[in-house]
Amino acid sequence: MANGGPVEHGFPHLETVREAVTALYRRLSYDTVQAFPASVPPADVAFPDTDDLYLGAQRVARELVRHYRLPDARMIVSFREMTHAANVELTAGPEYFVELNDRFRTHRRDIGAALAHEVMHVYLHRLDLSFPGTRDNEILTDTAAAYLGAGWLLLDAFREDGASSQKLGYLTPEEFGYVLAKRALLFGEDPSVWFTSPQAYTAYGRGLAQARRDERQPPLTAAGWAGRRRYARDRRHAQDPHAAAPPAGGPYAFTSDGRGPLRVSFPCPTCHQRIRVPVRGRVRARCGLCRTVLECDT
């Protein structure tokens, strides 16, 4: 939790975020992801000052358990002084003990955001889905919360001005915006209508621009002129056995076993699993993981 300190911006964890989206599809399946078409509505996690602190926190936790479809899971919420925003004890269940930072006693509007992250920890624990290392595992948790409909709360908890700042989660605001935009493009849902933080709008806009760039990378037909020209040059080099290989690390890669046709591999713009298709002009490809149909010009 950044509380008054500097907030990191940009997309420093973008590759890990993309890996998290792929892992989510692989572990949950397309059908399960499609079962989360609606985000948590603001009314379900609203926390007026007139509500009892503990009863209100328990109510919000129950709503998030219901949203994530966690059967027979009960959250016991308490408050204490701590460095981080929150912590959850991952056990076999069905009861899970969640501790929230004492700051939330007087910042109740952000309790839903903190619980969205902690309840997602329980969800992933039950799925036995994790990444090695604390940092990457927390990025996975933030990404999953955002992609499955509760992450708008975490982005809305981001506030920054000349005198103070607050951010919850391990993703930057722009990375939260990116994952929320990925979800919005999938389900046609605009999360920005729920933001109360002006800074959340800006971060979401930047994330949306990055998500749309994913859909305009060659060999997709939506690629811009410069991308198509670069792709055509790299394809000529790949087809010429005497030419130097194109530089590695780009969004696409050409491969050939010497017998069959030249193939190009590239990440699916929805789930980021790599797709491999023959180089033969216009091709329609279907991602086997998220079932997205892609129009390509290879």
Side-chain angles (χ1 to χ4, degrees):
M1 176 172 66
N3 180 16
V7 174
E8 186 176 25
H9 286 277
F11 300 92
H13 316 111
L14 191 57
E15 287 309 310
T16 307
V17 169
R18 288 169 172 165
E19 290 169 5
V21 173
T22 307
L24 203 59
Y25 270 97
R26 286 176 177 162
R27 187 65 183 87
L28 289 181
S29 81
Y30 164 84
D31 290 328
T32 302
V33 172
Q34 288 292 317
F36 289 86
S39 290
V40 176
D44 288 356
V45 291
F47 201 150
D49 290 337
T50 54
D51 281 9
D52 179 86
L53 177 64
Y54 291 94
L55 293 178
Q58 296 291 151
R59 174 183 55 79
V60 173
R62 283 196 302 271
E63 289 297 332
L64 289 162
V65 166
R66 179 195 58 77
H67 175 77
Y68 290 142
R69 297 169 175 81
L70 276 168
D72 191 29
R74 297 188 296 275
M75 304 294 149
I76 311 301
V77 183
S78 63
F79 297 81
R80 71 173 177 89
E81 290 187 11
M82 57 196 302
T83 302
H84 297 292
N87 181 63
V88 62
E89 183 181 346
L90 296 176
T91 63
E95 290 186 340
Y96 298 89
F97 293 90
V98 181
E99 295 176 317
L100 299 183
N101 192 300
D102 262 340
R103 170 183 172 83
F104 292 115
R105 291 179 181 271
T106 54
H107 292 74
R108 298 184 180 188
R109 62 184 287 190
D110 298 322
I111 284 179
L115 289 174
H117 180 94
E118 300 308 317
V119 178
M120 178 51 70
H121 267 304
V122 175
Y123 185 85
L124 296 176
H125 175 68
R126 288 193 169 188
L127 284 176
D128 194 26
L129 175 59
S130 63
F131 278 180
T134 299
R135 169 188 164 277
D136 286 1
N137 201 53
E138 294 291 352
I139 290 172
L140 168 65
T141 304
D142 278 342
T143 302
Y147 206 79
L148 297 184
W152 71 268
L153 290 161
L154 285 151
L155 179 54
D156 195 42
F158 165 54
R159 289 181 285 278
E160 187 175 40
D161 56 38
S164 63
S165 63
Q166 174 185 281
K167 184 187 77 71
L168 301 183
Y170 283 68
L171 300 186
T172 68
E174 292 78 12
E175 288 166 344
F176 270 121
Y178 173 78
V179 183
L180 291 173
K182 288 286 191 182
R183 174 183 168 79
L185 294 170
L186 178 68
F187 291 114
E189 180 188 68
D190 181 8
S192 66
V193 298
W194 302 317
F195 295 152
T196 61
S197 163
Q199 292 78 29
Y201 285 99
T202 303
Y204 177 70
R206 292 171 180 164
L208 179 59
Q210 180 63 52
R212 284 178 170 156
R213 280 194 287 273
D214 290 350
E215 299 183 331
R216 296 195 295 266
Q217 292 292 332
L220 301 174
T221 56
W225 176 83
R228 292 197 303 270
R229 184 177 181 183
R230 183 179 66 252
Y231 178 84
R233 180 199 62 205
D234 291 342
R235 180 178 57 198
R236 286 196 302 271
H237 279 278
Q239 291 171 328
D240 183 352
H242 303 292
Y252 51 82
F254 295 98
T255 57
S256 174
D257 59 9
R259 298 185 299 273
L262 184 69
R263 292 179 175 271
V264 61
S265 65
F266 59 96
C268 169
T270 300
C271 70
H272 300 287
Q273 175 174 261
R274 292 197 74 84
I275 298 171
R276 191 164 173 256
V277 297
V279 174
R280 61 183 185 200
R282 289 273 179 160
V283 173
R284 176 174 288 178
R286 184 172 184 265
C287 178
L289 188 58
C290 69
R291 304 185 188 178
T292 301
V293 176
L294 304 169
E295 298 290 342
C296 308
D297 188 356
T298 61

